[in-house]
Amino acid sequence: RAFSGGQYAAVFPGLSAANCPLAFSPDAVPAQALRRTTPHSRGMRSKELPAPLLGQPLTAARLARWGIPRNRLLRADLVPLGSGVYIPRHLADAADEEELYLLRAQGVASDYPQGWISHLSAARVFNCPLPRRLYTPEVHMSHSRETDFRVRRRDVVGHRSAVSEEEVTIHQGIRLTSAVRTWCDLAA
């Protein structure tokens, strides 16, 4: 099978009939050049994550805002935490179980800007002393009763709450109920 110059140049950039006349002879084409090549087969790495995304939890929605395809989440350099949240492997290797939970809560919260972390999840963010039996994998998210918004996600518990703006705060980069409101939610 003969290879045209354009096809050969696409597989072996920098070669042309001028600097390698035998390269365009069908007998001189290596067998691997006749196969379709991919970035992986040429030893190239697929798209790296932008630096601002390397130190935070990732979701498909966050990647889409950066123009990165959803299938990028399947690469080995990302670790799934559940609830559609992934983190870079270097973060997962350095984190303990509670830090992984907090990263997952932060990732879930980033996908729901109209909501906030609440109840047991907010208590865990505030590092409140809780019985061990309450350390479950679910992330508790609340939103205003005035909206029709519903949280529908695996391992995420949705709540509708009537709270004032003063009862919602930001702690460790996560939007959540204040410590006083969290205490009241747990007592209810």
Side-chain angles (χ1 to χ4, degrees), residues 17-185:
N19 62 13
C20 189
L22 293 177
F24 293 94
S25 144
D27 299 327
V29 177
Q32 66 268 21
L34 296 176
R35 289 193 303 260
R36 185 173 177 185
T37 59
T38 65
H40 298 292
S41 66
R42 291 191 303 260
M44 297 167 63
R45 296 175 59 132
S46 68
K47 188 174 184 178
E48 295 295 326
L49 292 172
L53 295 179
L54 292 177
Q56 59 184 305
L58 304 170
T59 63
R62 181 171 278 172
L63 289 183
R65 288 191 294 266
W66 281 81
I68 300 171
R70 178 185 203 107
N71 65 359
R72 177 60 179 86
L73 293 171
L74 303 176
R75 289 282 314 249
D77 63 335
L78 296 177
V79 176
L81 297 181
S83 305
V85 178
Y86 297 76
I87 60 171
R89 184 163 299 283
H90 71 276
L91 284 179
D93 293 342
D96 64 18
E97 183 179 331
E98 192 61 15
E99 290 168 332
L100 292 175
Y101 177 82
L102 296 177
L103 286 167
R104 188 160 65 89
Q106 184 180 4
V108 169
S110 73
D111 274 358
Y112 299 105
Q114 68 275 36
W116 56 88
I117 300 293
S118 63
H119 297 79
L120 289 170
S121 298
R124 289 177 72 174
V125 172
F126 283 122
N127 203 18
C128 293
L130 297 170
R132 195 71 199 150
R133 66 182 168 79
L134 296 179
Y135 282 76
T136 61
E138 291 89 13
V139 174
H140 291 260
M141 287 285 304
S142 288
H143 64 278
S144 174
R145 284 190 176 156
E146 288 83 41
T147 66
D148 291 333
F149 173 73
R150 298 268 192 266
V151 176
R152 298 190 194 286
R153 201 172 195 162
R154 174 179 269 186
D155 289 332
V156 177
V157 179
H159 301 275
R160 297 180 79 186
S161 301
V163 299
S164 66
E165 224 18 72
E166 297 82 38
E167 294 177 305
V168 177
T169 186
I170 296 179
H171 181 74
Q172 296 181 1
I174 303 173
R175 190 168 186 245
L176 71 163
T177 52
S178 67
V180 172
R181 176 61 194 220
T182 299
W183 192 254
C184 292
D185 287 342

